[in-house]
Amino acid sequence: MAENKLKQKLENGEVALGPFVNLASGALIEIAAYAGFDFVILDTEHGPLDIPSVEDLCRTAHGVDITPVVRVRENDPPQILRALD
């Protein structure tokens, strides 16, 4: 498994930057990575993203070495566990 650069930065007390993404576009993930962001927040709370879209975006994020963070709709264990899967 690749090193989690976001986790490393936070552990070192460094600043980490990343945008919210609420469109199912792998190109946005790639652009964020090449622009030098540390992470992207995949927002399923305020956008049309569903779990299949999030899975695809996570694969893209891992391919360009940027950390995906999933924001779920509500504090609901099944939703959180599904996002973690």
Side-chain angles (χ1 to χ4, degrees):
M1 181 179 275
E3 177 185 354
N4 185 325
K5 293 180 182 179
L6 172 61
K7 185 176 178 181
Q8 278 300 119
K9 277 195 160 189
L10 295 175
E11 287 176 351
N12 294 336
E14 299 175 47
V15 174
L17 299 172
F20 276 75
V21 173
N22 59 10
L23 299 174
S25 170
L28 291 176
I29 306 300
E30 292 177 9
I31 290 167
Y34 296 135
F37 286 106
D38 303 299
F39 65 92
V40 290
I41 298 175
L42 306 176
D43 189 6
T44 67
E45 182 178 11
H46 295 113
L49 294 180
D50 56 10
I51 292 298
S53 298
V54 167
E55 288 174 1
D56 289 340
L57 295 174
C58 284
R59 275 191 289 277
T60 301
H62 290 297
V64 292
D65 201 24
I66 190 169
T67 303
V69 177
V70 179
R71 180 180 186 184
V72 296
R73 292 188 188 275
E74 57 189 88
N75 186 7
D76 176 46
Q79 282 186 38
I80 295 167
L81 290 172
R82 184 130 191 235
L84 287 171
D85 285 342

